[in-house]
Amino acid sequence: VISQQELSQQQNPQLFSEVSSRINQTISEYVASNLSEDFEGPFPKGTNLQKVTVTGKRVSLYFNEALVYQTVRQPLIDELKGRFAPLISPILPEAEIHIYASGRELEDYIPGLYNPPGVLPEKLKPPSKPLLIENVSFPAPRTSAGLYGHYMCLWHSHGWYYDTKQKRWQWQRPRLFTIVEDKFPMSFTIPFLMPMLENAGAIVFCPRERDIQVNEVLVDDADGKANPQNGIFELWTQDAWHEDAAPGFKNGLSPYPDNINPHQQGHHKVAETVPDKPTAFARWTPLIPESGRYAVYVSYNAAPDRAPDAHYVVYHAGGATEFRVNQQMCGNYWVFLGHFYFKRGLHPEEGSVLLANDSSYPGTTVSADCVKFGGGMGNIIRENTISGYPRYLEGSRYWLQYAGVIPQLVYKLGFKGGFGGPDYVEDYTSRPEWVNYLVGAPDGPNADRSFPGLGVPVDVSLAFHTDAGIKDGVVGTLLIYRIKDQFNKDVFPDGRSRWLNRDLADLIQSQIVQDIRAKYSSTWTQRQIKKRDLAEVRRPNIPSALIELLSHQNFDDMKYGLDPRFRFDVSRAIYKAVLRFIAYEYGYEPIIAPLAPKFLSVTTTAPGKIILRWQPQTDPLEPTAVAEGYILYTRKGKDADFDNGTYVTETAYELAGLEPNEIYSFKVSAVNQGGVSFPSEVLSVYTGTGNEPRALIVNAFDRIAPPEYIEAENYRGVNRHNGDCGVPYLWNLALTGEQWDFNPKHKFLNNDNPGWGASYGDLETRIELGNTFDYTIIHGSAMKRAGWAFDSVSDDAVRAGIINLANYKVVDWLLGEERTTPPPPWRTGPGAPDKMNYEFQTLTPTDQKIIRNYLTQGGRLFISGAYIATDLVNSPIARTQDKQFLERVLKCEWVTNNGSKTNNVFSVPGSLFEPQGIGTFHFSSGLGEHGIYGVELPDSIRPAKDSGAKVVLRYQDAYFDAGISYAGSGYRVVVFGFPFETIVSEQVRQELMSAILTFLAK
């Protein structure tokens, strides 16, 4: 034992060396015997002690980077010091222990957000940021504690690319478990993460096409009115506009060879701005090939004398949405305004974009160039061929050429090619350099950091991937960051520390793992927070991180990853982490946006007058996610879109003055200072004139779910062939095709034959349609044609007693593909969820009680859905009472859940449908038809024994019973074993509904 006095007095290098050596040996042996088997502490796998130094009382322990593969917080540091102190004190009493990893003291690895009180972190003190886009029509107060005024760059993995070595277009990753990584992350970012960030106020940029619309219309300033092949471009007050010499977009050059930048081939028009009332206009009216949802992008030539508040108006099927766009930024580039619904054809009043010359900065100018509607198909030529795929599936390198970036700064950086040829390398280098291209000097592209760029003050860039790896159990979440940049410096060009990258990666991983463990499984694997020399984190000159969420090669991970509920929760976790990172850097307290309202109902109080009610939804993970107000969105008619919304502060809202003969639809979002929630389900109403009978539609289809899995010895995988394909949220963007290799023993050979999990690619250019939560209008439209008025309500509101079914002569219970669904990963045993919280039961005990009471009082019920009987008889939580309800109340029996393969149906002679003369009809199958989800497992049902019920519909391919009717015992029922809303013919729906209502109303 060496005393401190002896050590300080003797100034003996040999003694110092001996003390250090003894401590080194003691600590090394201890660490080696206490290593973790995974990546969590106190000593993650791979941790080792590199050296010990002793200076007086100070003992410094230097470990390798593996020690900080885990998140570092003060309790971990205290635990480590508490473990080391008893080992060191017998050798060197009163030692002060300092612990380092990869040359940095552990306290420095704690993100500033988690610093102990009194420790002042590095703070970003930026100048006020210019705002690129302002949605003037947004009805709610602007967020002050969200992401308003901040900018994000986000991309989802790789993409379809041209391999110059194999001379073909292909994915960069293999098709596994029905997905490919080049598509899979976009099933998180496009429907979930991007909208969450934007709902919080952020402006989000993506280097890949973000619109899944395969149609595209370009209307350029040079197109004019003479030949409306694409649409019409018009100038009002012609003399106010003149052609500018600076470059602009040129239409008609597609497809583009490698050396063509379409944003530099044409010209643009400019007009001087005026205050108040505009005096000049430009209007782009597209010839829309097919009604639907289209992204709108505008391009213009940016210059210092441009208006920072150029006034754009998008006229769409829901009205007019106004924007102010800063034309001093982001010129000669596709600037995304939003998604809008447009009707087929030329419709200037509800299908155009207008630019006016009014501005708060008179004397500046506005630039009118091209407007792009829709995502479109790939149009970049590689070795005399184009991809043949929708543009949203292609890699970044092609979209960025189409978007007008300078290749020598972003992707033409002199690489030889490497794996997959030059396009492969150009794709992954283009994404981070594009971030720098947006920002500009001093953080410009690394080929020329002085390049002025597009002037976008990006705060954060995120690369979203799913890492490779196979193991028994969940591989889990890895975060990657990089400290040293292209020039081996650890500061950004603007002087900030690149250790911000570690903080960002830490916050994202911590939030993801924390939320998954809270909602799904406490054993979710937290992998490393790891420094790696990857372009996507080395090249950006702003804080950046790379997310490897889970392993797309590992079946147990994919049981989570294929579940849209999991995708929502992970995306929300990433959004929250980004918000907390930015809020800390800018010095404000973040507030998390609320969840969507629930218990929605819309009821008629008089012709043309209704009342809407809803309730807020709490978030058990986030106490700040509390609604302070709501946005009520309204849609008038069927082939239309929602308006910009009305801000309200109460949970009930009366509307009068509705047209009595028109169907109106509504949805509600919650609002607070952090942002806007996703919308509620959509409910519709037709008030009628007061003379019509009235029905109630109960929307009970709120299920989103993954496909069915199959687990057997040497046969495991995703059972889309003859199982439940699940229900996507809106769309399934990840699908490539059915899995064809189910043997876990089969090894990876190459991307075309990757072994276990290998899947087909026949569906990868198509989109599987999912739950839009907007089906009451389909049922209601058929009712209206039959002469009935209707209200609608969510099933949750019925269960809560908000609506009394007895007030309605007929109730239409809409079940769609509702089915009892377990949480991921759909299994018991190791890795199973902590709680088996089954969701989406078709008819809960409360539902059954309410329906039974309604019918015994003389009620009339129409109920349709793919799993009504299956769920009541064969669900994991089915009870004897459920089967009895099916047979004694609904008067039918379950036969099979494989009622039909063709989904063709005919009416039985002598049934209630015979007077209508209804022949054979079809309901949606496969990935979906005519804008409605597909049904893969319709129920076959038959009349319950001795019930008096009758068969009214049969499936054509096997003559199984598809629908029954019952009249007697004081009530009437019609049951369909498939969802009514999926019948593809509107005329057939109207005829069926008319017959059903006539039968029930007797």
Side-chain angles (χ1 to χ4, degrees):
V1 176
I2 307 299
S3 69
Q4 291 291 338
Q5 184 178 9
E6 181 182 7
L7 191 63
S8 62
Q9 286 176 348
Q10 290 194 30
Q11 300 302 315
N12 187 332
Q14 184 176 352
L15 184 59
F16 275 99
S17 176
E18 182 181 346
V19 169
S20 298
S21 176
R22 291 172 60 186
I23 294 175
N24 198 326
Q25 181 179 355
T26 301
I27 300 299
S28 294
E29 291 173 354
Y30 179 81
V31 170
S33 62
N34 286 274
L35 281 178
S36 302
E37 294 183 0
D38 53 27
F39 309 108
E40 294 186 75
F43 306 112
K45 182 170 59 176
T47 302
N48 62 70
L49 183 66
Q50 295 178 321
K51 69 175 180 177
V52 174
T53 64
V54 180
T55 306
K57 292 184 178 182
R58 183 184 179 107
V59 176
S60 298
L61 308 177
Y62 291 86
F63 289 86
N64 64 341
E65 186 191 351
L67 182 63
V68 289
Y69 282 166
Q70 62 190 314
T71 55
V72 178
R73 303 291 184 266
Q74 193 60 48
L76 172 66
I77 298 174
D78 294 341
E79 179 186 355
L80 291 174
K81 290 182 177 180
R83 288 183 177 224
F84 294 149
L87 304 175
I88 296 173
S89 59
I91 304 170
L92 191 63
E94 303 178 12
E96 296 177 357
I97 301 171
H98 292 258
I99 306 172
Y100 293 79
S102 194
R104 194 175 193 231
E105 196 157 9
L106 282 196
E107 282 79 0
D108 294 332
Y109 284 94
I110 303 175
L113 185 62
Y114 295 101
N115 271 331
V119 178
L120 296 177
E122 178 181 10
K123 283 284 187 179
L124 178 64
K125 299 296 183 183
S128 60
K129 288 189 168 191
L131 190 64
L132 175 61
I133 303 169
E134 176 83 5
N135 183 345
V136 180
S137 300
F138 183 71
R142 292 298 178 191
T143 63
S144 60
L147 292 170
Y148 180 70
H150 292 282
Y151 297 80
M152 283 278 306
C153 285
L154 170 66
W155 56 88
H156 32 260
S157 188
H158 313 282
W160 191 247
Y161 84 106
Y162 186 75
D163 187 326
T164 55
K165 296 183 177 181
Q166 299 192 54
K167 305 297 182 184
R168 70 173 188 176
W169 290 84
Q170 62 180 23
W171 296 120
Q172 298 184 33
R173 296 293 184 264
R175 300 173 178 94
L176 290 166
F177 301 114
T178 75
I179 64 94
V180 63
E181 190 195 8
D182 304 62
K183 293 185 69 179
F184 182 47
M186 74 171 63
S187 66
F188 292 79
T189 58
I190 290 180
F192 297 120
L193 182 52
M194 285 183 183
M196 287 175 184
L197 294 165
E198 290 169 338
N199 286 350
I203 295 175
V204 180
F205 287 82
C206 182
R208 294 177 66 180
E209 175 61 62
R210 61 186 293 173
D211 188 12
I212 62 175
Q213 172 63 252
V214 296
N215 294 307
E216 178 187 47
V217 181
L218 297 172
V219 184
D220 189 34
D221 67 296
D223 289 342
K225 296 191 292 184
N227 182 19
Q229 180 179 357
N230 302 309
I232 296 173
F233 177 75
E234 301 170 275
L235 293 175
W236 303 341
T237 315
Q238 185 88 25
D239 293 343
W241 296 89
H242 67 273
E243 188 168 288
D244 191 68
F249 186 87
K250 185 173 183 178
N251 211 352
L253 300 179
S254 176
Y256 303 102
D258 197 37
N259 60 343
I260 291 293
N261 181 343
H263 290 268
Q264 298 292 320
Q265 305 301 312
H267 298 284
H268 65 111
K269 308 291 193 301
V270 295
E272 189 170 321
T273 60
V274 297
D276 304 322
K277 189 175 181 180
T279 60
F281 303 89
R283 184 169 70 178
W284 298 259
T285 304
L287 180 60
I288 297 294
E290 183 180 2
S291 297
R293 180 177 178 264
Y294 290 74
V296 172
Y297 298 84
V298 297
S299 69
Y300 48 84
N301 181 272
D305 67 343
R306 299 280 185 258
D309 59 349
H311 186 188
Y312 286 90
V313 185
V314 179
Y315 293 92
H316 52 94
T321 305
E322 298 187 55
F323 295 91
R324 293 286 181 171
V325 177
N326 188 340
Q327 289 196 345
Q328 296 177 358
M329 311 164 58
C330 227
N332 299 107
Y333 188 85
W334 296 126
V335 176
F336 173 73
L337 295 185
H339 289 98
F340 305 91
Y341 186 89
F342 296 106
K343 297 179 182 179
R344 180 181 179 184
L346 282 167
H347 301 283
E349 296 80 12
E350 51 184 0
S352 65
V353 172
L354 185 78
L355 172 62
N357 72 329
D358 59 305
S359 169
S360 297
Y361 301 83
T364 58
T365 58
V366 290
S367 165
D369 193 1
C370 186
V371 176
K372 168 174 142 65
F373 301 84
M377 300 292 290
N379 60 357
I380 303 297
I381 301 172
R382 304 301 288 137
E383 295 189 342
N384 299 314
T385 179
I386 58 175
S387 74
Y389 270 39
R391 186 176 290 115
Y392 77 92
L393 295 179
E394 290 187 337
S396 299
R397 178 251 181 269
Y398 311 111
W399 194 91
L400 292 175
Q401 179 182 343
Y402 186 49
V405 304
I406 300 173
Q408 290 75 20
L409 296 177
V410 176
Y411 55 88
K412 291 290 184 183
L413 304 179
F415 296 107
K416 300 295 184 183
F419 175 81
D423 285 26
Y424 185 93
V425 180
E426 289 176 1
D427 189 56
Y428 70 72
T429 57
S430 71
R431 298 188 285 265
E433 290 296 354
W434 158 80
V435 176
N436 303 330
Y437 185 89
L438 290 176
V439 179
D443 301 314
N446 289 300
D448 180 7
R449 287 184 172 179
S450 65
F451 176 71
L454 301 189
V456 181
V458 179
D459 293 286
V460 166
S461 77
L462 287 183
F464 194 132
H465 296 267
T466 50
D467 193 20
I470 300 173
K471 63 175 285 189
D472 183 16
V474 170
V475 171
T477 301
L478 167 73
L479 260 290
I480 293 173
Y481 68 101
R482 174 73 177 172
I483 301 303
K484 299 293 185 179
D485 68 4
Q486 292 291 105
F487 307 102
N488 205 35
K489 294 183 178 180
D490 60 4
V491 294
F492 293 116
D494 64 8
R496 287 183 292 159
S497 171
R498 286 180 60 94
W499 281 99
L500 287 169
N501 291 348
R502 163 80 190 203
D503 286 2
L504 176 62
D506 184 326
L507 294 179
I508 292 172
Q509 188 194 59
S510 297
Q511 192 72 66
I512 289 173
V513 173
Q514 174 182 309
D515 286 8
I516 292 175
R517 288 179 175 177
K519 298 203 73 170
Y520 297 103
S521 174
S522 60
T523 59
W524 181 265
T525 306
Q526 181 168 349
R527 298 179 66 198
Q528 305 107 314
I529 307 174
K530 195 169 185 179
K531 281 191 294 186
R532 290 188 65 186
D533 188 15
L534 299 180
E536 290 172 296
V537 287
R538 180 183 70 251
R539 289 181 172 273
N541 292 323
I542 58 154
S544 58
L546 189 153
I547 302 168
E548 298 284 10
L549 175 65
L550 46 75
S551 173
H552 59 268
Q553 282 190 310
N554 196 57
F555 184 43
D556 287 329
D557 287 69
M558 291 308 298
K559 290 178 186 176
Y560 290 91
L562 292 174
D563 196 316
R565 295 169 294 179
F566 179 83
R567 294 173 182 175
F568 175 91
D569 289 322
V570 164
S571 300
R572 187 165 167 87
I574 296 170
Y575 139 68
K576 293 188 297 185
V578 170
L579 169 60
R580 287 179 167 128
F581 175 82
I582 290 177
Y584 179 78
E585 289 300 307
Y586 285 85
Y588 62 91
E589 287 295 325
I591 292 176
I592 306 301
L595 295 174
K598 57 182 183 177
F599 298 105
L600 187 63
S601 66
V602 52
T603 54
T604 301
T605 56
K609 188 177 181 180
I610 61 169
I611 185 167
L612 294 114
R613 294 185 175 88
W614 60 87
Q615 292 183 13
Q617 182 179 179
T618 59
D619 183 348
L621 301 184
E622 296 295 341
T624 67
V626 177
E628 299 171 356
Y630 305 90
I631 300 176
L632 172 64
Y633 300 94
T634 303
R635 180 180 65 199
K636 178 184 174 183
K638 188 177 180 183
D639 188 20
D641 199 2
F642 285 93
D643 64 8
N644 295 309
T646 301
Y647 181 69
V648 300
T649 56
E650 303 298 326
T651 57
Y653 192 73
E654 290 188 84
L655 275 173
L658 304 181
E659 296 179 23
N661 290 313
E662 189 64 85
I663 294 177
Y664 287 82
S665 303
F666 304 92
K667 60 182 179 180
V668 184
S669 292
V671 181
N672 64 13
Q673 287 300 307
V676 183
S677 76
F678 275 32
S680 68
E681 63 193 305
V682 179
L683 295 182
S684 303
V685 65
Y686 168 52
T687 70
T689 62
N691 299 318
E692 303 90 342
R694 183 170 304 280
L696 176 69
I697 303 173
V698 178
N699 183 32
F701 180 28
D702 53 8
R703 178 178 178 234
I704 54 173
E708 189 175 318
Y709 308 120
I710 189 166
E711 297 262 12
E713 186 176 358
N714 295 328
Y715 199 87
R716 301 176 67 207
V718 183
N719 183 24
R720 288 186 61 95
H721 181 68
N722 56 9
D724 177 12
C725 292
V727 183
Y729 176 84
L730 303 181
W731 338 272
N732 179 11
L733 302 181
L735 184 64
T736 63
E738 290 182 5
Q739 181 177 338
W740 56 263
D741 190 323
F742 288 83
N743 192 334
K745 295 182 179 179
H746 287 172
K747 302 298 183 182
F748 178 91
L749 298 178
N750 51 57
N751 276 9
D752 293 345
N753 188 5
W756 179 35
S759 303
Y760 293 108
D762 57 310
L763 304 178
E764 60 197 20
T765 62
R766 299 177 59 191
I767 295 173
E768 183 176 27
L769 303 179
N771 195 343
T772 65
F773 311 93
D774 187 12
Y775 304 113
T776 58
I777 191 170
I778 299 177
H779 288 235
S781 295
M783 288 181 175
K784 179 177 180 290
R785 290 294 297 269
W788 282 63
F790 67 91
D791 298 339
S792 56
V793 62
S794 73
D795 57 345
D796 289 329
V798 173
R799 293 185 194 116
I802 295 172
I803 296 291
N804 186 356
L805 302 189
N807 294 332
Y808 296 88
K809 188 173 184 64
V810 169
V811 170
D812 176 355
W813 203 283
L814 187 166
L815 277 168
E817 285 197 307
E818 199 78 354
R819 185 182 194 181
T820 300
T821 305
W826 288 48
R827 74 172 188 180
T828 57
D834 298 329
K835 298 178 181 178
M836 291 299 285
N837 294 321
Y838 289 96
E839 295 184 273
F840 312 124
Q841 186 177 358
T842 52
L843 295 170
T844 67
T846 301
D847 297 337
Q848 295 174 30
K849 180 179 179 181
I850 291 170
I851 291 172
R852 183 184 293 107
N853 291 341
Y854 169 68
L855 291 177
T856 56
Q857 297 173 33
R860 306 289 196 264
L861 176 69
F862 170 44
I863 184 168
S864 67
Y867 298 110
I868 299 172
T870 294
D871 210 50
L872 289 171
V873 175
N874 281 338
S875 84
I877 57 174
R879 310 164 303 156
T880 301
Q881 299 96 306
D882 299 330
K883 182 180 179 182
Q884 291 174 346
F885 175 82
L886 177 69
E887 297 174 352
R888 298 176 184 178
V889 179
L890 298 185
K891 303 299 183 181
C892 60
E893 295 178 358
W894 175 75
V895 178
T896 177
N897 194 213
N898 297 87
S900 177
K901 190 69 174 177
T902 65
N903 290 5
N904 294 325
V905 182
F906 66 92
S907 60
V908 174
S911 73
L912 63 94
F913 299 120
E914 186 174 47
Q916 302 287 333
I918 300 172
T920 301
F921 61 89
H922 177 72
F923 62 94
S924 181
S925 59
L927 303 187
E929 305 170 60
H930 299 277
I932 199 79
Y933 63 93
V935 179
E936 60 275 11
L937 295 174
D939 262 355
S940 175
I941 54 177
R942 65 187 177 197
K945 187 176 181 180
D946 300 325
S947 66
K950 298 179 179 179
V951 179
V952 295
L953 296 174
R954 285 197 172 100
Y955 299 113
Q956 188 181 48
D957 43 357
Y959 276 46
F960 290 173
D961 298 346
I964 66 104
S965 68
Y966 169 78
S969 302
Y971 68 86
R972 292 183 173 223
V973 174
V974 174
V975 183
F976 281 11
F978 59 92
F980 173 84
E981 65 273 10
T982 61
I983 299 170
V984 298
S985 168
E986 184 176 12
Q987 180 179 344
V988 170
R989 291 197 304 267
Q990 293 168 0
E991 293 171 350
L992 289 169
M993 184 62 78
S994 178
I996 291 168
L997 293 172
T998 299
F999 169 79
L1000 292 176
K1002 289 182 180 178

